[in-house]
Amino acid sequence: MSETRTIVPTTDVRDVEAGLDALQTKAPGPGAAARARHNAGKVIAPVAALVLLVLVWQLYVTFTQKRADLVPGPLDVASALGALWAEGRVQEAVWTSVQRGLIGFVVSAVIATPIGLLLAQVKPLRNAFGPLVSGLQVLPSVAWVPAAIIWFGLTDATVYFVLLMGAIPSIINGLIAGVDQIPPQYRRMGRVLGAGRWAMALQIVLPAALPGYLAGLKQGWAFSWRSLMAAEIIAVGGSMGFGLGSLLQQGRDLADLGTVMSAILLILAVGIAVELLVFAPLERRLLRGRGLLNGSTL
Amino acid sequence: MSAPAAPAIAPSATVPPSAASDDPAIAIELSGLGKRFGTAAPVLDDVNLTIRPGEFVALLGASGCGKSTLLNLISGLEAPSSGAMEIPADGAAFMFQDASLYPWLTAKGNIELALKLRGVPRQERSAKAEELLHLVHLSGAGTKRPHELSGGMRQRVALARSLAQDRQVLLMDEPFAALDAITRDLLHDELERIWRETGRTIVFVTHNVREAVRLGQRVVLMSSRPGRVVREWQVTAAQKTPEAAANLAAEITAELREEIRRHV
């Protein structure tokens, strides 16, 4: 019995298929030169914006002739910053705060991740604790400062407690949101492939939720940093180290606007640096790998 | 390789025996099978169907005939409300209309995950995945992420992944419905070749009559609401010629339309 249908020989099918694959696959992305141009634009644009803002600030100060001790210009702040740097106080404050922020953030992530996974996967737990976690995220963590001072006194424990109360709920919520947004088809395919409870959580749910989880971590960092500054401003002295918030508070006590502005700019600079050096590259890599970056402005 | 003769003949010795049922000549047996969700009207009612190992059955029907529900029952994803069924003990591989590849894994990584979840030891996975990629003519695309592949290539990776599950029965739920006509044509040839090479039992759900005639050894027409088996056609090798296939497709289409008209 012979094949009576007019079927294309297999080798031909293979060739046609290869041709079609080539036609239907996207042309390779921008070359190295285009990418370099793109990256250069990413550096030049924000620097230009910054220069513009500083220029406007300087022009305002120059033309309005305000008192330098009430409205310091960029040059005044730069010289104040230079003086603080020469005394070594900038280095000390930045190092103290960044160290606290990072330690607190890592501890928050370690605590929040299993809780988040558990709440996302177990419905009764989610029903019971979900609203509480959302509420804690809305509560400004600075509200914990008075209680923390009473419980822990003027020690580093106060700072860490406030920071954890700020960061943990937002990381939990980010992870839950990431799990909620997993297309149902992923779990279904996992069941078809024979994934058990553990394999489903670790091989499918966690990687699928990674974009939301990363967004949660990013927000968690922002909350850590803010809470830390709030705690440092309010709780000064005792056995506590000297952080950026303490520097800011000291500037206020001495009515030294140059120090105040310097501290604010340093707090801002650390925030921007962490975003640009840590989160943005992670996010870009994650999204590009999944083909989610086409057409986005990231 | 020559096409099997009229499907009435028992499967040839090249077809591996079914993993499940006592009777080696039966891969899937559904008797009086029904499914309803809650108190709603039944989706499936009194479905009777016997599928032999190595057979390629095309399930055809309009929307609402419960084709997808039937596949879910056969795969064990859902339980029937009534009736009895004999299905492979190890379940079935499943392929959907959308490839459902995991976007964080490469093409090869997706296949390797299926091997891993099946319990294949780590050191064997890579070679096995390469083998399967070769089978679907995608040897060079193993390192690509799903979004870098065309729709047809994604479905071929999905096919390789379902073969990685190494189940005797492969369920396909309109796997080519979202593809363009040229790609679909090619994938028909490809699927037929892979079916012959691997000896799988395939249940292929479609609402495309010509696709059913093109691929199936047997075309099973289902009614809608509730879903039942209305009629069956054997598609012999002789009927696969373009002319005969067109005639058969016309006949089946007429019957399908008759079936749909009943719902006015």
Side-chain angles (χ1 to χ4, degrees):
Chain A
M1 178 181 40
S2 65
E3 185 66 75
T4 39
R5 240 167 21 76
T6 50
I7 186 172
V8 198
T10 314
T11 47
D12 274 5
V13 171
R14 180 175 280 243
D15 290 344
V16 177
E17 209 162 53
L20 204 57
D21 289 349
L23 280 177
Q24 291 178 339
T25 321
K26 256 176 281 159
R35 190 166 282 186
R37 243 191 338 270
H38 177 75
N39 286 342
K42 271 198 179 129
V43 176
I44 291 167
V47 168
L50 189 69
V51 169
L52 188 72
L53 283 176
V54 170
L55 212 64
V56 169
W57 179 11
Q58 182 64 59
L59 286 176
Y60 173 78
V61 173
T62 311
F63 285 108
T64 53
Q65 297 284 320
K66 300 265 191 206
R67 276 171 52 191
D69 59 333
L70 290 182
V71 185
L75 292 175
D76 305 317
V77 173
S79 76
L81 196 57
L84 288 171
W85 179 276
E87 292 169 37
R89 285 168 66 206
V90 169
Q91 297 90 317
E92 185 201 348
V94 169
W95 173 238
T96 305
S97 290
V98 166
Q99 197 187 357
R100 282 172 172 168
L102 287 183
I103 292 174
F105 173 69
V106 169
V107 172
S108 305
V110 169
I111 295 175
T113 303
I115 298 179
L117 261 185
L118 213 60
L119 289 189
Q121 292 285 72
V122 184
K123 200 168 173 169
L125 283 180
R126 169 108 180 243
N127 289 342
F129 293 106
L132 182 67
V133 173
S134 301
L136 282 176
Q137 199 189 354
V138 177
L139 180 79
S141 55
V142 67
W144 290 104
V145 174
I149 291 178
I150 294 170
W151 288 333
F152 306 111
L154 290 177
T155 61
D156 277 355
T158 294
V159 173
Y160 284 118
F161 177 77
V162 174
L163 190 155
L164 260 58
M165 293 312 284
I168 290 175
S170 71
I171 298 176
I172 292 178
N173 269 336
L175 185 50
I176 291 178
V179 172
D180 285 348
Q181 286 165 14
I182 299 176
Q185 192 70 352
Y186 289 177
R187 291 178 198 261
R188 187 165 175 215
M189 198 65 229
R191 277 211 306 284
V192 167
L193 293 177
R197 225 182 153 78
W198 272 105
M200 186 74 100
L202 296 181
Q203 309 283 338
I204 291 161
V205 170
L206 200 59
L210 219 49
Y213 179 50
L214 186 63
L217 284 177
K218 195 167 137 178
Q219 208 190 7
W221 161 255
F223 274 60
S224 303
W225 191 237
R226 285 188 212 188
S227 313
L228 178 64
M229 289 307 119
E232 284 184 351
I233 289 171
I234 298 175
V236 185
S239 69
M240 294 179 52
F242 191 81
L244 278 171
S246 327
L247 182 67
L248 184 57
Q249 180 57 23
Q250 199 177 53
R252 182 194 146 187
D253 288 343
L254 301 173
D256 176 2
L257 214 45
T259 301
V260 169
M261 291 303 289
S262 300
I264 291 178
L265 289 180
L266 286 170
I267 294 169
L268 195 63
V270 171
I272 293 174
V274 171
E275 161 69 27
L276 286 185
L277 299 178
V278 181
F279 288 107
L282 274 178
E283 210 167 16
R284 211 172 302 135
R285 219 185 120 190
L286 185 73
L287 296 183
R288 180 177 295 139
R290 298 176 186 213
L292 295 172
L293 216 53
N294 298 334
S296 102
T297 50
L298 187 68
Chain B
M1 195 185 290
S2 68
I9 296 173
S12 65
T14 56
V15 176
S18 155
S21 79
D22 313 329
D23 184 349
I26 293 176
I28 298 168
E29 183 158 34
L30 314 175
S31 15
L33 202 67
K35 175 74 181 173
R36 58 167 67 218
F37 296 96
T39 54
V43 179
L44 294 172
D45 185 43
D46 194 24
V47 174
N48 295 291
L49 188 64
T50 304
I51 297 171
R52 286 183 306 280
E55 203 178 2
F56 197 134
V57 174
L59 272 181
L60 183 70
S63 303
C65 71
K67 294 170 293 195
S68 301
T69 306
L70 189 58
L71 289 195
N72 285 345
L73 293 183
I74 296 175
S75 71
L77 281 177
E78 284 171 27
S81 312
S82 58
M85 59 180 190
E86 193 96 53
I87 53 172
D90 59 350
F94 214 141
M95 209 178 136
F96 303 102
Q97 176 173 340
D98 119 61
S100 304
L101 298 175
Y102 294 124
W104 59 89
L105 297 172
T106 60
K108 190 176 166 190
N110 269 283
I111 297 172
E112 283 176 333
L113 178 63
L115 294 168
K116 182 179 182 181
L117 293 175
R118 193 187 107 199
V120 175
R122 178 185 296 272
Q123 59 280 12
E124 292 171 26
R125 283 179 218 150
S126 177
K128 195 103 183 102
E130 289 289 354
E131 213 174 278
L132 287 163
L133 278 171
H134 182 73
L135 183 67
V136 296
H137 295 163
L138 278 176
S139 291
T143 58
K144 294 243 166 74
R145 297 289 189 101
H147 73 95
E148 298 174 288
L149 303 172
S150 70
M153 293 164 90
R154 280 202 285 270
Q155 276 309 28
R156 273 144 64 200
V157 176
L159 178 58
R161 177 174 65 178
S162 55
L163 294 174
Q165 289 185 259
D166 202 24
R167 307 272 160 77
Q168 170 54 29
V169 173
L170 173 55
L171 307 173
M172 305 181 86
D173 192 354
E174 302 186 23
F176 307 144
L179 301 177
D180 66 272
I182 300 174
T183 306
R184 195 183 311 142
D185 256 5
L186 278 173
L187 283 184
H188 287 162
D189 291 339
E190 184 101 342
L191 177 61
E192 185 178 35
R193 174 180 65 81
I194 287 169
W195 168 59
R196 287 179 197 288
E197 281 179 23
T198 60
R200 292 288 207 283
T201 309
I202 298 183
V203 183
F204 188 103
V205 158
T206 177
H207 49 222
N208 181 333
V209 177
R210 270 177 302 173
E211 184 172 62
V213 172
R214 160 75 185 82
L215 289 171
Q217 290 176 296
R218 186 146 63 105
V219 177
V220 175
L221 177 64
M222 292 183 66
S223 63
S224 300
R225 292 189 199 139
R228 277 195 193 122
V229 175
V230 178
R231 213 182 135 179
E232 287 189 26
W233 288 265
Q234 308 286 355
V235 189
T236 59
Q239 278 169 301
K240 297 268 184 190
T241 59
E243 215 171 312
N247 286 337
L248 182 58
E251 182 190 331
I252 297 176
T253 303
E255 182 90 22
L256 175 65
R257 288 187 178 170
E258 189 57 41
E259 186 53 45
I260 294 170
R261 205 172 298 134
R262 287 198 309 108
H263 290 270
V264 174

Short mmCIF file of all heavy atoms in Angstrom, two decimals, chain A residues 60-113:
data_model
loop_
_atom_site.label_atom_id
_atom_site.label_comp_id
_atom_site.label_asym_id
_atom_site.label_seq_id
_atom_site.Cartn_x
_atom_site.Cartn_y
_atom_site.Cartn_z
N TYR A 60 17.54 81.96 39.92
CA TYR A 60 16.54 82.46 40.86
C TYR A 60 17.22 83.18 42.02
O TYR A 60 16.86 84.31 42.38
CB TYR A 60 15.71 81.27 41.37
CG TYR A 60 14.74 81.65 42.47
CD1 TYR A 60 13.54 82.30 42.18
CD2 TYR A 60 15.03 81.37 43.80
CE1 TYR A 60 12.66 82.65 43.18
CE2 TYR A 60 14.15 81.71 44.81
CZ TYR A 60 12.97 82.35 44.49
OH TYR A 60 12.10 82.69 45.50
N VAL A 61 18.24 82.52 42.59
CA VAL A 61 18.94 83.12 43.73
C VAL A 61 19.63 84.41 43.32
O VAL A 61 19.57 85.43 44.02
CB VAL A 61 19.97 82.12 44.31
CG1 VAL A 61 20.82 82.78 45.37
CG2 VAL A 61 19.25 80.92 44.87
N THR A 62 20.25 84.42 42.17
CA THR A 62 20.99 85.60 41.70
C THR A 62 20.06 86.78 41.49
O THR A 62 20.33 87.90 41.91
CB THR A 62 21.72 85.28 40.39
OG1 THR A 62 22.43 84.07 40.56
CG2 THR A 62 22.69 86.40 40.01
N PHE A 63 18.92 86.52 40.83
CA PHE A 63 18.07 87.64 40.45
C PHE A 63 17.17 88.12 41.57
O PHE A 63 16.81 89.29 41.62
CB PHE A 63 17.23 87.28 39.21
CG PHE A 63 18.04 87.29 37.96
CD1 PHE A 63 18.39 86.12 37.31
CD2 PHE A 63 18.49 88.52 37.43
CE1 PHE A 63 19.16 86.15 36.18
CE2 PHE A 63 19.26 88.55 36.29
CZ PHE A 63 19.60 87.36 35.66
N THR A 64 16.76 87.21 42.50
CA THR A 64 15.87 87.67 43.57
C THR A 64 16.65 88.27 44.73
O THR A 64 16.06 88.92 45.59
CB THR A 64 15.00 86.51 44.09
OG1 THR A 64 15.87 85.44 44.45
CG2 THR A 64 14.02 86.06 43.04
N GLN A 65 17.97 88.02 44.77
CA GLN A 65 18.80 88.62 45.82
C GLN A 65 18.31 88.29 47.22
O GLN A 65 18.28 89.15 48.10
CB GLN A 65 18.82 90.16 45.65
CG GLN A 65 19.42 90.64 44.36
CD GLN A 65 20.94 90.56 44.36
OE1 GLN A 65 21.59 90.86 45.35
NE2 GLN A 65 21.53 90.14 43.25
N LYS A 66 17.91 86.99 47.44
CA LYS A 66 17.49 86.60 48.79
C LYS A 66 18.73 86.47 49.68
O LYS A 66 19.85 86.30 49.19
CB LYS A 66 16.76 85.24 48.73
CG LYS A 66 15.52 85.27 47.85
CD LYS A 66 14.27 85.53 48.65
CE LYS A 66 13.06 85.28 47.79
NZ LYS A 66 11.88 85.97 48.14
N ARG A 67 18.49 86.46 51.00
CA ARG A 67 19.62 86.27 51.91
C ARG A 67 20.16 84.85 51.78
O ARG A 67 19.41 83.88 51.79
CB ARG A 67 19.16 86.48 53.37
CG ARG A 67 19.16 87.94 53.78
CD ARG A 67 18.50 88.10 55.13
NE ARG A 67 19.06 87.20 56.15
CZ ARG A 67 18.51 87.00 57.35
NH1 ARG A 67 17.39 87.64 57.66
NH2 ARG A 67 19.06 86.22 58.22
N ALA A 68 21.48 84.72 51.68
CA ALA A 68 22.11 83.42 51.42
C ALA A 68 21.85 82.43 52.56
O ALA A 68 21.81 81.23 52.34
CB ALA A 68 23.61 83.58 51.20
N ASP A 69 21.65 82.91 53.79
CA ASP A 69 21.42 81.97 54.89
C ASP A 69 19.98 81.47 54.91
O ASP A 69 19.68 80.47 55.56
CB ASP A 69 21.80 82.59 56.24
CG ASP A 69 21.00 83.87 56.51
OD1 ASP A 69 20.59 84.52 55.52
OD2 ASP A 69 20.77 84.19 57.68
N LEU A 70 19.07 82.17 54.18
CA LEU A 70 17.69 81.68 54.10
C LEU A 70 17.45 80.91 52.82
O LEU A 70 16.79 79.87 52.81
CB LEU A 70 16.71 82.85 54.18
CG LEU A 70 16.63 83.54 55.55
CD1 LEU A 70 15.59 84.66 55.52
CD2 LEU A 70 16.29 82.52 56.64
N VAL A 71 17.95 81.41 51.70
CA VAL A 71 17.81 80.73 50.42
C VAL A 71 19.19 80.55 49.80
O VAL A 71 19.62 81.37 49.00
CB VAL A 71 16.90 81.54 49.45
CG1 VAL A 71 16.67 80.75 48.18
CG2 VAL A 71 15.58 81.88 50.12
N PRO A 72 19.89 79.51 50.21
CA PRO A 72 21.23 79.30 49.66
C PRO A 72 21.16 78.87 48.20
O PRO A 72 20.25 78.15 47.81
CB PRO A 72 21.81 78.19 50.54
CG PRO A 72 20.63 77.46 51.06
CD PRO A 72 19.50 78.44 51.15
N GLY A 73 22.10 79.37 47.41
CA GLY A 73 22.18 78.95 46.01
C GLY A 73 22.99 77.68 45.90
O GLY A 73 23.57 77.20 46.89
N PRO A 74 23.06 77.13 44.70
CA PRO A 74 23.81 75.89 44.50
C PRO A 74 25.27 76.04 44.93
O PRO A 74 25.85 75.11 45.49
CB PRO A 74 23.72 75.65 42.99
CG PRO A 74 22.68 76.56 42.47
CD PRO A 74 22.40 77.62 43.49
N LEU A 75 25.84 77.21 44.69
CA LEU A 75 27.25 77.40 45.05
C LEU A 75 27.43 77.39 46.56
O LEU A 75 28.38 76.80 47.08
CB LEU A 75 27.76 78.71 44.47
CG LEU A 75 27.85 78.72 42.93
CD1 LEU A 75 28.25 80.10 42.42
CD2 LEU A 75 28.85 77.66 42.45
N ASP A 76 26.47 78.04 47.28
CA ASP A 76 26.55 78.04 48.75
C ASP A 76 26.47 76.62 49.29
O ASP A 76 27.23 76.22 50.17
CB ASP A 76 25.39 78.87 49.35
CG ASP A 76 25.38 80.27 48.78
OD1 ASP A 76 26.46 80.87 48.67
OD2 ASP A 76 24.28 80.75 48.41
N VAL A 77 25.51 75.85 48.73
CA VAL A 77 25.33 74.48 49.20
C VAL A 77 26.57 73.66 48.88
O VAL A 77 27.04 72.86 49.69
CB VAL A 77 24.08 73.85 48.56
CG1 VAL A 77 23.99 72.37 48.91
CG2 VAL A 77 22.82 74.57 49.03
N ALA A 78 27.14 73.90 47.69
CA ALA A 78 28.33 73.15 47.30
C ALA A 78 29.47 73.42 48.27
O ALA A 78 30.19 72.50 48.68
CB ALA A 78 28.74 73.51 45.87
N SER A 79 29.60 74.67 48.69
CA SER A 79 30.70 74.97 49.61
C SER A 79 30.43 74.38 50.99
O SER A 79 31.34 73.87 51.66
CB SER A 79 30.97 76.48 49.68
OG SER A 79 29.98 77.09 50.47
N ALA A 80 29.14 74.40 51.42
CA ALA A 80 28.79 73.77 52.70
C ALA A 80 29.11 72.27 52.66
O ALA A 80 29.67 71.70 53.60
CB ALA A 80 27.31 73.98 53.00
N LEU A 81 28.74 71.66 51.52
CA LEU A 81 28.99 70.24 51.33
C LEU A 81 30.48 69.95 51.37
O LEU A 81 30.94 68.99 51.99
CB LEU A 81 28.38 69.80 49.99
CG LEU A 81 28.18 68.30 49.76
CD1 LEU A 81 27.30 67.70 50.83
CD2 LEU A 81 27.57 68.08 48.38
N GLY A 82 31.25 70.84 50.71
CA GLY A 82 32.70 70.68 50.69
C GLY A 82 33.28 70.73 52.09
O GLY A 82 34.13 69.92 52.47
N ALA A 83 32.76 71.65 52.91
CA ALA A 83 33.26 71.79 54.27
C ALA A 83 32.94 70.53 55.08
O ALA A 83 33.79 70.01 55.81
CB ALA A 83 32.63 73.02 54.92
N LEU A 84 31.69 70.03 54.93
CA LEU A 84 31.30 68.82 55.65
C LEU A 84 32.16 67.63 55.24
O LEU A 84 32.53 66.78 56.05
CB LEU A 84 29.82 68.49 55.39
CG LEU A 84 28.80 69.42 56.04
CD1 LEU A 84 27.40 69.12 55.51
CD2 LEU A 84 28.84 69.25 57.55
N TRP A 85 32.45 67.59 53.92
CA TRP A 85 33.28 66.51 53.39
C TRP A 85 34.67 66.58 54.02
O TRP A 85 35.22 65.55 54.44
CB TRP A 85 33.36 66.61 51.88
CG TRP A 85 34.20 65.54 51.26
CD1 TRP A 85 35.57 65.56 51.11
CD2 TRP A 85 33.77 64.29 50.74
NE1 TRP A 85 36.00 64.42 50.53
CE2 TRP A 85 34.91 63.60 50.28
CE3 TRP A 85 32.50 63.69 50.60
CZ2 TRP A 85 34.84 62.35 49.70
CZ3 TRP A 85 32.44 62.44 50.01
CH2 TRP A 85 33.59 61.77 49.57
N ALA A 86 35.22 67.81 54.10
CA ALA A 86 36.57 67.97 54.64
C ALA A 86 36.62 67.51 56.10
O ALA A 86 37.60 66.93 56.55
CB ALA A 86 37.00 69.43 54.54
N GLU A 87 35.51 67.72 56.83
CA GLU A 87 35.48 67.26 58.23
C GLU A 87 35.26 65.76 58.33
O GLU A 87 35.29 65.19 59.42
CB GLU A 87 34.33 67.96 58.98
CG GLU A 87 34.53 69.45 59.18
CD GLU A 87 33.24 70.11 59.68
OE1 GLU A 87 32.52 69.47 60.48
OE2 GLU A 87 32.94 71.22 59.24
N GLY A 88 34.91 65.14 57.20
CA GLY A 88 34.67 63.70 57.22
C GLY A 88 33.27 63.33 57.65
O GLY A 88 32.95 62.16 57.83
N ARG A 89 32.39 64.33 57.82
CA ARG A 89 31.05 64.01 58.31
C ARG A 89 30.13 63.48 57.22
O ARG A 89 29.22 62.69 57.50
CB ARG A 89 30.45 65.24 58.98
CG ARG A 89 31.11 65.46 60.36
CD ARG A 89 30.75 66.81 60.90
NE ARG A 89 29.34 66.90 61.21
CZ ARG A 89 28.65 68.04 61.23
NH1 ARG A 89 29.27 69.17 60.96
NH2 ARG A 89 27.38 68.05 61.53
N VAL A 90 30.34 63.91 55.99
CA VAL A 90 29.54 63.37 54.89
C VAL A 90 29.78 61.87 54.78
O VAL A 90 28.84 61.07 54.76
CB VAL A 90 29.92 64.06 53.55
CG1 VAL A 90 29.30 63.31 52.38
CG2 VAL A 90 29.46 65.49 53.55
N GLN A 91 31.07 61.52 54.75
CA GLN A 91 31.41 60.10 54.60
C GLN A 91 30.80 59.27 55.73
O GLN A 91 30.21 58.21 55.51
CB GLN A 91 32.94 59.91 54.60
CG GLN A 91 33.65 60.59 53.44
CD GLN A 91 34.06 62.03 53.76
OE1 GLN A 91 33.25 62.77 54.35
NE2 GLN A 91 35.26 62.43 53.37
N GLU A 92 30.94 59.79 56.95
CA GLU A 92 30.44 59.05 58.11
C GLU A 92 28.91 58.88 58.02
O GLU A 92 28.39 57.77 58.19
CB GLU A 92 30.79 59.80 59.40
CG GLU A 92 30.40 59.02 60.65
CD GLU A 92 30.27 59.90 61.89
OE1 GLU A 92 30.69 61.08 61.84
OE2 GLU A 92 29.72 59.41 62.89
N ALA A 93 28.22 59.98 57.71
CA ALA A 93 26.76 59.93 57.69
C ALA A 93 26.26 59.01 56.58
O ALA A 93 25.37 58.17 56.80
CB ALA A 93 26.20 61.34 57.51
N VAL A 94 26.84 59.16 55.37
CA VAL A 94 26.39 58.33 54.25
C VAL A 94 26.65 56.86 54.57
O VAL A 94 25.78 56.00 54.40
CB VAL A 94 27.09 58.74 52.94
CG1 VAL A 94 26.84 57.71 51.86
CG2 VAL A 94 26.62 60.11 52.49
N TRP A 95 27.84 56.56 55.05
CA TRP A 95 28.20 55.18 55.33
C TRP A 95 27.27 54.57 56.40
O TRP A 95 26.73 53.48 56.22
CB TRP A 95 29.66 55.09 55.77
CG TRP A 95 30.06 53.73 56.23
CD1 TRP A 95 30.57 53.40 57.43
CD2 TRP A 95 29.97 52.51 55.48
NE1 TRP A 95 30.79 52.05 57.50
CE2 TRP A 95 30.44 51.47 56.31
CE3 TRP A 95 29.53 52.19 54.19
CZ2 TRP A 95 30.48 50.15 55.91
CZ3 TRP A 95 29.56 50.86 53.78
CH2 TRP A 95 30.05 49.87 54.63
N THR A 96 27.03 55.34 57.47
CA THR A 96 26.15 54.83 58.53
C THR A 96 24.75 54.53 57.99
O THR A 96 24.20 53.45 58.20
CB THR A 96 26.03 55.87 59.66
OG1 THR A 96 27.34 56.20 60.11
CG2 THR A 96 25.21 55.33 60.82
N SER A 97 24.20 55.49 57.24
CA SER A 97 22.82 55.32 56.77
C SER A 97 22.72 54.21 55.73
O SER A 97 21.80 53.39 55.78
CB SER A 97 22.30 56.63 56.18
OG SER A 97 22.12 57.58 57.20
N VAL A 98 23.65 54.19 54.78
CA VAL A 98 23.58 53.18 53.72
C VAL A 98 23.71 51.78 54.32
O VAL A 98 22.98 50.85 53.96
CB VAL A 98 24.67 53.42 52.65
CG1 VAL A 98 24.83 52.22 51.75
CG2 VAL A 98 24.32 54.66 51.83
N GLN A 99 24.63 51.67 55.28
CA GLN A 99 24.83 50.37 55.92
C GLN A 99 23.55 49.91 56.62
O GLN A 99 23.10 48.78 56.45
CB GLN A 99 25.95 50.54 56.94
CG GLN A 99 26.57 49.28 57.42
CD GLN A 99 27.55 49.57 58.56
OE1 GLN A 99 27.75 50.74 58.92
NE2 GLN A 99 28.13 48.55 59.11
N ARG A 100 22.95 50.83 57.39
CA ARG A 100 21.69 50.49 58.06
C ARG A 100 20.61 50.14 57.06
O ARG A 100 19.88 49.18 57.22
CB ARG A 100 21.20 51.69 58.87
CG ARG A 100 21.92 51.90 60.18
CD ARG A 100 21.45 53.22 60.75
NE ARG A 100 21.93 53.44 62.09
CZ ARG A 100 21.85 54.61 62.71
NH1 ARG A 100 21.32 55.66 62.07
NH2 ARG A 100 22.28 54.75 63.92
N GLY A 101 20.53 50.97 56.01
CA GLY A 101 19.49 50.74 55.00
C GLY A 101 19.63 49.38 54.36
O GLY A 101 18.65 48.64 54.21
N LEU A 102 20.86 49.02 53.97
CA LEU A 102 21.06 47.75 53.29
C LEU A 102 20.79 46.57 54.21
O LEU A 102 20.09 45.62 53.83
CB LEU A 102 22.48 47.67 52.73
CG LEU A 102 22.73 48.55 51.51
CD1 LEU A 102 24.14 48.36 50.98
CD2 LEU A 102 21.71 48.26 50.40
N ILE A 103 21.33 46.64 55.44
CA ILE A 103 21.11 45.54 56.38
C ILE A 103 19.61 45.38 56.63
O ILE A 103 19.05 44.28 56.54
CB ILE A 103 21.85 45.78 57.71
CG1 ILE A 103 23.36 45.70 57.47
CG2 ILE A 103 21.42 44.77 58.76
CD1 ILE A 103 24.20 46.08 58.69
N GLY A 104 18.94 46.51 56.90
CA GLY A 104 17.51 46.46 57.17
C GLY A 104 16.73 45.92 55.99
O GLY A 104 15.81 45.11 56.15
N PHE A 105 17.13 46.32 54.79
CA PHE A 105 16.42 45.89 53.59
C PHE A 105 16.58 44.39 53.38
O PHE A 105 15.60 43.68 53.09
CB PHE A 105 16.95 46.66 52.38
CG PHE A 105 16.42 46.17 51.08
CD1 PHE A 105 15.07 46.34 50.75
CD2 PHE A 105 17.25 45.53 50.17
CE1 PHE A 105 14.58 45.89 49.55
CE2 PHE A 105 16.75 45.08 48.97
CZ PHE A 105 15.42 45.24 48.65
N VAL A 106 17.80 43.89 53.54
CA VAL A 106 18.04 42.46 53.35
C VAL A 106 17.25 41.65 54.37
O VAL A 106 16.60 40.65 54.03
CB VAL A 106 19.55 42.14 53.43
CG1 VAL A 106 19.78 40.64 53.49
CG2 VAL A 106 20.28 42.75 52.24
N VAL A 107 17.28 42.10 55.64
CA VAL A 107 16.52 41.39 56.67
C VAL A 107 15.03 41.42 56.32
O VAL A 107 14.33 40.39 56.44
CB VAL A 107 16.77 42.02 58.06
CG1 VAL A 107 15.83 41.41 59.10
CG2 VAL A 107 18.22 41.81 58.48
N SER A 108 14.53 42.57 55.86
CA SER A 108 13.11 42.68 55.49
C SER A 108 12.78 41.68 54.39
O SER A 108 11.75 40.99 54.45
CB SER A 108 12.78 44.07 54.96
OG SER A 108 13.14 45.04 55.89
N ALA A 109 13.64 41.61 53.36
CA ALA A 109 13.36 40.71 52.24
C ALA A 109 13.34 39.26 52.71
O ALA A 109 12.48 38.46 52.31
CB ALA A 109 14.41 40.90 51.14
N VAL A 110 14.27 38.91 53.59
CA VAL A 110 14.35 37.53 54.08
C VAL A 110 13.10 37.18 54.89
O VAL A 110 12.57 36.08 54.81
CB VAL A 110 15.63 37.34 54.94
CG1 VAL A 110 15.57 36.01 55.68
CG2 VAL A 110 16.85 37.40 54.04
N ILE A 111 12.59 38.14 55.66
CA ILE A 111 11.39 37.88 56.45
C ILE A 111 10.15 37.89 55.56
O ILE A 111 9.26 37.04 55.68
CB ILE A 111 11.22 38.94 57.56
CG1 ILE A 111 12.38 38.82 58.57
CG2 ILE A 111 9.88 38.77 58.29
CD1 ILE A 111 12.37 39.89 59.63
N ALA A 112 10.09 38.85 54.61
CA ALA A 112 8.85 39.06 53.86
C ALA A 112 8.62 38.00 52.79
O ALA A 112 7.47 37.68 52.50
CB ALA A 112 8.88 40.45 53.20
N THR A 113 9.68 37.44 52.20
CA THR A 113 9.49 36.53 51.07
C THR A 113 8.69 35.27 51.44
O THR A 113 7.68 34.98 50.78
CB THR A 113 10.84 36.17 50.45
OG1 THR A 113 11.49 37.38 50.06
CG2 THR A 113 10.66 35.29 49.23
#
